[in-house]
Amino acid sequence: MAKKTNADLLTPVTLAVGQEDLLLDRAVQEVVAAARAADADTDVRDLSSDQLQPGTLAELTSPSLFAERKVVIVRNAQDLSADTIKELKGYFASPAEEITLVLLHAGGAKGKGLLDAARKAGAREVACPKMTKPADRLAFVRGEFRAQGRSATPEACQALVDAIGSDLRELASAVSQLAADVEGTIDEAVVGQYYTGRAEASSFTVADRAVEGRAAEALEALRWSLATGVAPVMITSALAQGVRAIGKLSSARGGRPADLARELGMPPWKIDRVRQQMRGWTPDGVAAALRAVAEADEGVKGGGDDPEYALEKAVVTIARAARSRGRA
């Protein structure tokens, strides 16, 4: 991908579209940095939607006595009044020189006319979608390491996502810390050293220990997770993913991790991990574990009186199922 230049960033209008706060802030910071690189005295005006009233835009974009560069940032542009949107549409047709307008818009139907008009006028657009899927956050972490010029193993990236969770700011901060403190390739062991307390509280740690048949460790991780505020529904989700991965791989045709990864929709490194975890499993064990997960899921969603007991029962059943091959 070609590196963006200051000229690319200083187009008359930039749209930052989405609801991911970190990405929206970065889109703004990128433009401001480019403007100040071009002119250290750049005037930056950061406005909320209710501060941009009809007439305000004309005032902000009127020629300056000193011909200074200016960046005008408008947040929550989807909430602008109809009169202000009309004024903006007129501005798009004849933007002021030396001024960069940055509109932050949540996307969606509200204020879509403004988006359409800006796009039609050739505005530069930055996608800032909310990252709700674990795979998106994993890709984000990989990108952060690349941006830092550092190498991290797939297992390290996954361990960081498991340990930190869904907060992109915390993930970005963790990557920066690791990149600054650690020399060479960053691996899973390093992530564990830095974030061991949080990693142990991860729902995926509970699931990993359970499907490996390590009941005592799984129960300890479960209690720690609940004590540190991990939602029970996140734990049942992780247990379900762990058991399903065992079932998928045990019924798949043999082959290289890369081939199985394509067939099962898992990354190759996870194929290797699940292969190690599935050694004690039988088809009956997988079925029993899935029933236990379903019962726990019902229990934590209001079908039982004690969600913690429902989870403990599921963890013990799964751990027993993981050792079913060795029993008569």
Side-chain angles (χ1 to χ4, degrees):
M1 182 183 294
K3 188 175 181 179
K4 288 174 285 191
T5 66
N6 281 1
D8 295 329
L9 296 169
L10 296 179
T11 54
V13 181
T14 288
L15 285 174
V17 183
Q19 299 180 45
E20 189 59 69
D21 289 341
L22 173 65
L23 302 183
L24 291 167
D25 286 347
R26 283 185 173 180
V28 170
Q29 292 162 8
E30 198 173 39
V31 172
V32 171
R36 286 184 169 153
D39 180 354
D41 295 325
T42 293
D43 182 19
V44 177
R45 304 294 181 91
D46 196 331
L47 309 174
S48 62
S49 57
D50 59 354
Q51 290 176 307
L52 191 68
Q53 297 296 322
T56 307
L57 181 66
E59 180 183 339
L60 289 171
T61 58
S62 60
S64 167
L65 179 63
F66 302 102
E68 66 185 355
R69 181 177 291 278
K70 187 179 292 184
V71 176
V72 178
I73 303 152
V74 181
R75 299 181 183 272
N76 298 312
Q78 72 279 358
D79 296 329
L80 290 168
S81 68
D83 287 341
T84 302
I85 289 175
K86 182 179 179 180
E87 188 175 334
L88 277 166
K89 289 179 178 178
Y91 177 81
F92 295 155
S94 183
E97 292 184 8
E98 299 300 306
I99 292 178
T100 299
L101 177 63
V102 183
L103 300 175
L104 277 59
H105 193 293
K110 189 177 183 181
K112 186 174 183 297
L114 177 63
L115 281 182
D116 293 341
R119 287 165 175 159
K120 187 176 180 180
R124 168 179 167 265
E125 185 168 345
V126 183
C128 305
K130 198 76 176 174
M131 295 191 182
T132 57
K133 297 179 180 178
D136 293 336
R137 294 192 287 273
L138 183 58
F140 172 79
V141 167
R142 289 171 177 163
E144 290 292 291
F145 277 119
R146 284 195 298 271
Q148 296 272 357
R150 299 302 306 278
S151 174
T153 66
E155 294 86 352
C157 294
Q158 183 66 59
L160 197 58
V161 172
D162 290 348
I164 300 298
S166 60
D167 190 313
L168 255 59
R169 292 186 190 278
E170 291 195 33
L171 285 169
S173 176
V175 170
S176 295
Q177 181 180 21
L178 290 168
D181 292 357
V182 180
E183 296 182 359
T185 299
I186 296 163
D187 60 18
E188 188 177 12
V190 169
V191 174
Q193 289 170 5
Y194 272 72
Y195 300 100
T196 182
R198 298 184 69 158
E200 286 173 3
S202 164
S203 56
F204 290 100
T205 300
V206 180
D208 283 341
R209 299 297 86 79
V211 300
E212 290 162 4
R214 295 153 66 179
E217 292 176 43
L219 287 170
E220 182 181 1
L222 171 64
R223 288 160 189 154
W224 182 256
S225 294
L226 293 171
T228 53
V230 177
V233 69
M234 296 298 294
I235 299 173
T236 55
S237 175
L239 290 170
Q241 289 182 48
V243 175
R244 286 177 188 139
I246 297 288
K248 283 182 180 180
L249 192 55
S250 62
S251 61
R253 298 185 301 274
R256 298 177 304 168
D259 296 330
L260 287 169
R262 284 191 294 271
E263 179 183 342
L264 302 178
M266 298 180 191
W269 66 264
K270 188 169 184 179
I271 297 291
D272 291 334
R273 174 179 288 181
V274 175
R275 272 179 167 165
Q276 294 174 356
Q277 293 174 334
M278 62 182 282
R279 288 172 183 163
W281 285 86
T282 65
D284 287 343
V286 172
L290 287 173
R291 286 195 298 271
V293 170
E295 290 172 3
D297 189 57
E298 182 181 0
V300 303
K301 291 179 179 176
D305 296 328
D306 189 343
E308 184 173 340
Y309 172 73
L311 286 168
E312 289 182 355
K313 182 179 177 183
V315 163
V316 170
T317 301
I318 292 168
R320 287 175 178 168
R323 300 192 302 272
S324 57
R325 191 179 296 278
R327 300 200 303 269

